[in-house]
Amino acid sequence: MKLTTQTRRKARVSRSEQGWSAIGFMVVLAAGAFGYLLFKGAMSYLNGPFTPPWYMFTLLLLPVGVSFQSLFKLHELNSPPEGLNRRERQRLGSMVSDKERQLFIGLAFYVLTAVFTVFVFWFGSSGSPIVSWGLPIVGALLGICLASLGFMAAEMREVSKFVGLVQQRERDRANVRKLRKRMINKESH
């Protein structure tokens, strides 16, 4: 019986809790293609000796910073807010662990992207084959990294919305208790 209850609970998971969707995958592909074409076009426009722009490396740090900030917010939810029943605590715990897993996967991708970017910029000199094939790939990876910021924001908004609804419900319950107490006090006078 317990197995079927868990199976039903997993079946009721919302689409946003499942992770990647087909639309999300298409957005990531489009961002990567846009970055690739943008950098490929910039290289053909420059068409001469140039130094790879190191400031792009700092753009790769933006998703890393947002990921760490999101992880810290999720770690705060390991001690759930007051007013959660057992089912809500389980749901919040499941949401937090899923989001943490997604953020760790994202962080691994960002680190690998940064390592690849450093490799291309460090070992590729102007006009070398490493820059000619590596810089457009860096552009694609940068596009994917920046597009993932929107996904991270959506994921964190979902968790915040759930916690906000629970906190609002607890405030409503407190207001109802106060109102009942006042009504009981009025009736006794």
Side-chain angles (χ1 to χ4, degrees):
M1 181 73 174
K2 189 174 185 178
L3 182 63
T4 58
T5 304
Q6 288 176 348
T7 305
R8 274 189 256 133
R9 188 177 302 136
K10 285 182 180 180
R12 284 186 269 151
V13 172
S14 70
R15 288 194 72 137
S16 58
E17 291 177 19
Q18 292 175 354
W20 286 82
S21 66
I23 293 173
F25 186 71
M26 296 302 287
V27 168
V28 167
L29 281 178
F34 178 75
Y36 180 87
L37 294 174
L38 182 69
F39 276 58
K40 190 76 167 171
M43 285 180 54
S44 66
Y45 176 73
L46 294 173
N47 203 18
F50 67 94
T51 305
W54 278 92
Y55 63 85
M56 282 186 345
F57 189 70
T58 59
L59 286 176
L60 293 172
L61 296 178
L62 183 64
V64 171
V66 171
S67 294
F68 276 116
Q69 181 184 12
S70 299
L71 278 173
F72 290 135
K73 284 184 179 182
L74 287 175
H75 285 300
E76 291 173 3
L77 293 175
N78 283 335
S79 57
E82 295 296 320
L84 291 175
N85 61 33
R86 186 176 63 85
R87 194 178 90 208
E88 290 168 335
R89 276 195 302 270
Q90 287 175 343
R91 182 172 174 211
L92 181 62
S94 174
M95 284 174 69
V96 167
S97 65
D98 288 345
K99 304 310 176 201
E100 284 178 338
R101 180 183 52 79
Q102 291 172 359
L103 286 170
F104 282 126
I105 290 170
L107 278 170
F109 175 75
Y110 303 143
V111 168
L112 291 175
T113 298
V115 167
F116 180 76
T117 302
V118 167
F119 173 79
V120 169
F121 287 3
W122 190 270
F123 294 110
S125 61
S126 179
S128 76
I130 291 176
V131 171
S132 65
W133 63 261
L135 201 56
I137 294 174
V138 167
L141 294 173
L142 182 63
I144 292 169
C145 287
L146 294 178
S148 70
L149 288 174
F151 292 117
M152 273 192 276
E155 296 291 332
M156 293 309 296
R157 187 178 21 222
E158 178 185 346
V159 173
S160 296
K161 184 178 177 182
F162 178 75
V163 172
L165 287 172
V166 169
Q167 290 172 344
Q168 180 62 42
R169 188 195 65 203
E170 186 59 32
R171 285 190 296 269
D172 292 344
R173 284 181 180 170
N175 289 338
V176 167
R177 283 191 296 267
K178 287 179 187 177
L179 185 61
R180 284 183 186 161
K181 193 173 185 180
R182 270 193 263 156
M183 290 177 72
I184 291 172
N185 287 340
K186 264 188 180 178
E187 289 175 2
S188 64
H189 291 295

